[in-house]
């Protein structure tokens, strides 16, 4: 899937600061761009499925993902689609536009809209707890799918699991910082690397430069080590979740009613592709007025 940063899909709101619907023509998969007039607040949707209703809160502080999801909801994009992947003790996934009416046994999950959404990862505030709504991605840590999402069921974990993920993610943060510091010098580094194969002097210069960037990275990372909060640790140990996804995928909402429906969907029988043997259909997704939470 190509990573195209197209203008983010806008939306029509059913809340206090609403705006009239735009007249833009429908695009791919019938998606219409609506007026970009989003309230600076949490928003709520009702997802009616063939196995029960799920009410979801979309976070105010993940505006790009929230606006995009609401726009798709208001276009009826998810209506009639399937939960095409289920995994008990992990998550349920939907959002493939070609899942609607798909023949039995067909592998789903490979179709996307033509744009991605920039990541809005905040491991301090949003994490993959039980009931978390998160954006799927073919490029974890870089950009999110424009349409596919998953809801976490998860398993209870131990402190040692969280400790290990802290180490892993802090290494990721250090690598990203190192690469970012090197970017302005990419041409010079590449030239030195090529020359170092034939020159001991150039090899020393290259090693000195690498050492310099390593020291700068250590300095830039000083005091920025990430760790789970007491609340996050308690939640993972008591309620469960999918801690190993933290820092790599954008959490932009959570289930506030109907987590038992999510758990029931995750427990259905599935085929070799983790697709439910009996279709689990998203009948309709509706944007709720902000007063109806």
């Amino acid at each position: 899937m190509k990573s195209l940063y197209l203008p983010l899909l806008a939306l029509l709101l059913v809340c206090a600061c609403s705006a009239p619907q735009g007249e833009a023509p429908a695009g791919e998969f019938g998606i219409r761009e609506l007026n970009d007039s989003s309230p600076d607040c949490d928003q709520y949707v009702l997802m009616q499925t063939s196995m029960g209703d799920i009410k979801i809160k979309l976070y105010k502080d993940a505006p790009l993902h929230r606006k995009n999801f609401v726009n798709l909801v208001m276009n009826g994009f998810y209506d009639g689609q399937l939960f095409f992947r289920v995994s008990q003790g992990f998550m349920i996934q939907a959002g493939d536009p070609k899942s609607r009416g798909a023949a039995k046994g067909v592998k789903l999950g490979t179709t996307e809209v033509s744009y991605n959404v920039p990541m809005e990862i905040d491991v301090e505030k949003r994490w993959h707890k039980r009931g978390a709504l998160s954006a799927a991605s073919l490029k974890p840590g870089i950009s999110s799918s424009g349409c596919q999402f998953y809801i976490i069921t998860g398993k209870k974990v131990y402190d040692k699991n969280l400790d290990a993920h802290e180490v892993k993610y802090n290494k990721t943060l250090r690598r990203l910082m190192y690469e970012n510091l090197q970017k302005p010098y990419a041409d010079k580094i590449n030239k030195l690397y090529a020359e170092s194969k034939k020159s001991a002097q150039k090899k020393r210069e290259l090693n000195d430069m690498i050492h310099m960037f390593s020291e700068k990275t250590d300095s830039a990372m000083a005091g920025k080590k990430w760790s789970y909060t007491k609340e996050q640790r308690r939640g993972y140990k008591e309620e469960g979740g999918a801690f190993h996804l933290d820092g790599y995928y954008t959490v932009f909402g959570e289930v506030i009613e109907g987590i038992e429906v999510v758990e029931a969907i995750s427990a259905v029988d599935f085929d070799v592709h983790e697709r439910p043997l009996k279709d689990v259909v998203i009948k309709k997704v509706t944007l709720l007025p902000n007063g109806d939470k």
Side-chain angles (χ1 to χ4, degrees):
M1 176 181 64
K2 295 181 179 179
S3 176
L4 302 177
Y5 288 91
L6 301 180
L8 187 66
L9 294 177
L11 60 145
L12 172 66
L13 299 161
V14 184
C15 48
C17 45
S18 61
Q21 183 170 341
E23 297 298 329
E28 61 173 352
F29 304 114
I31 300 171
R32 183 186 301 275
E33 291 188 22
L34 305 177
N35 287 329
D36 188 6
S37 179
S38 176
D40 188 24
C41 59
D42 296 329
Q43 291 180 271
Y44 301 82
V45 296
L46 177 65
M47 185 176 292
Q48 297 169 282
T49 81
S50 56
M51 293 183 64
D53 295 349
I54 305 167
K55 189 177 288 187
I56 297 170
K57 171 183 173 181
L58 305 174
Y59 296 145
K60 164 188 174 180
D61 60 359
L64 302 180
H65 287 73
R66 173 172 53 83
K67 290 180 182 182
N68 180 64
F69 193 80
V70 169
N71 190 76
L72 293 175
V73 166
M74 298 195 69
N75 272 280
F77 177 80
Y78 294 115
D79 299 352
Q81 286 192 25
L82 305 179
F83 278 103
F84 64 81
R85 183 186 175 200
V86 298
S87 179
Q88 189 171 15
F90 181 26
M91 59 92 211
I92 61 176
Q93 186 170 346
D96 183 336
K98 291 189 177 180
S99 69
R100 191 182 292 106
K104 296 289 185 181
V106 173
K107 182 179 179 180
L108 299 170
T110 58
T111 304
E112 299 268 355
V113 292
S114 62
Y115 64 91
N116 292 343
V117 180
M119 287 285 181
E120 294 178 291
I121 294 173
D122 187 344
V123 289
E124 303 291 338
K125 298 169 64 177
R126 303 191 299 271
W127 39 292
H128 286 82
K129 61 184 179 180
R130 178 172 176 260
L133 170 71
S134 189
S137 175
L138 294 178
K139 299 180 179 180
I142 299 176
S143 61
S144 297
S145 164
C147 59
Q148 292 195 25
F149 66 88
Y150 57 92
I151 302 175
I152 294 295
T153 55
K155 298 179 180 178
K156 294 180 182 179
V157 298
Y158 301 97
D159 278 314
K160 65 179 182 180
N161 304 122
L162 303 177
D163 293 342
H165 189 67
E166 286 178 350
V167 172
K168 176 184 177 182
Y169 189 56
N170 278 306
K171 287 182 178 178
T172 297
L173 292 177
R174 189 187 188 284
R175 174 178 57 79
L176 293 174
M177 178 66 74
Y178 183 83
E179 291 173 354
N180 187 56
L181 290 172
Q182 278 192 335
K183 277 183 181 179
Y185 304 89
D187 291 342
K188 184 175 181 179
I189 292 172
N190 290 334
K191 182 179 179 181
L192 277 175
Y193 178 76
E195 294 173 340
S196 68
K197 296 179 180 180
K198 298 181 179 180
S199 168
Q201 172 64 29
K202 295 300 181 179
K203 187 173 183 178
R204 286 193 293 271
E205 289 183 26
L206 177 62
N207 289 336
D208 288 344
M209 180 168 281
I210 291 173
H211 182 68
M212 176 194 70
F213 282 120
S214 183
E215 288 187 334
K216 284 189 174 183
T217 300
D218 289 338
S219 177
M221 291 297 295
K224 294 183 179 180
K225 186 177 180 180
W226 170 76
S227 61
Y228 282 110
T229 65
K230 290 182 179 180
E231 177 191 2
Q232 290 170 331
R233 284 182 174 268
R234 180 198 60 76
Y236 273 132
K237 291 188 289 184
E238 295 180 5
E239 296 294 327
F243 69 93
H244 61 288
L245 303 179
D246 290 337
Y248 301 101
Y249 298 83
T250 299
V251 176
F252 64 101
E254 64 181 88
V255 173
I256 57 174
E257 291 181 22
I259 188 62
E260 71 281 355
V261 176
V262 177
E263 301 250 353
I265 294 172
S266 75
V268 301
D269 293 331
F270 54 84
D271 64 17
V272 68
H273 303 303
E274 295 186 300
R275 175 179 168 180
L277 295 178
K278 181 179 179 181
D279 288 344
V280 181
V281 184
I282 299 174
K283 294 181 177 179
K284 188 173 183 59
V285 187
T286 307
L287 178 63
L288 298 174
N290 271 19
D292 187 8
K293 301 175 183 177

